[in-house]
Amino acid sequence: AVQYRRQNLDAMADGIGTLTDENRVRATDVLLRAYRYDAVVKALNPTFSKDPKNSVYGNRIAFAQLRMSRTQDAIETLRLMEKA
C-alpha cells in the first residue's frame, strides 16, 4: 500500500506540467505531498517575492523550508510576510 501511494504521488507530481497562476497552489500541494520541497520553493518563490503579504504562498514556502531543515530561511520568509 505504501509503495502504491508513493508511485501515485510521484506520478501526480511528474504530471503537473507548466505552472500557471490558476494551478500554482494545487500543484504545489501535490509537490508537498510528494515530499518535493525544493520544487515547492522554486515554484512559489518568484510569485511570493512580488507579493510577500500573500500568506497562501508564504506559508507553503516556510513549511517546505522547515521540512528541508532550512530553519533560518523559513524564519526569513515569515518575517517578510509580517513586514508586508
Side-chain angles (χ1 to χ4, degrees):
V2 173
Q3 185 178 11
Y4 175 74
R5 176 167 166 71
R6 182 74 196 158
Q7 289 173 347
N8 188 29
L9 287 172
D10 285 339
M12 288 172 58
D14 291 338
I16 288 174
T18 304
L19 290 178
T20 63
D21 289 338
E22 291 78 29
N23 74 354
R24 192 172 310 275
V25 172
R26 188 174 320 168
T28 54
D29 286 346
V30 170
L31 292 170
L32 284 170
R33 286 194 302 270
Y35 307 108
R36 296 187 184 184
Y37 304 119
D38 192 45
V40 171
V41 174
K42 287 179 183 177
L44 294 178
N45 221 11
T47 308
F48 178 70
S49 296
K50 295 175 188 172
D51 184 17
K53 64 184 169 193
N54 189 334
S55 63
V56 171
Y57 295 156
N59 288 336
R60 284 170 173 79
I61 291 171
F63 177 78
Q65 289 167 330
L66 285 172
R67 296 296 298 191
M68 292 187 297
S69 298
R70 292 171 40 193
T71 308
Q72 286 304 112
D73 291 340
I75 290 170
E76 183 59 31
T77 299
L78 295 172
R79 283 189 182 143
L80 281 173
M81 285 192 316
E82 187 177 60
K83 289 179 185 177

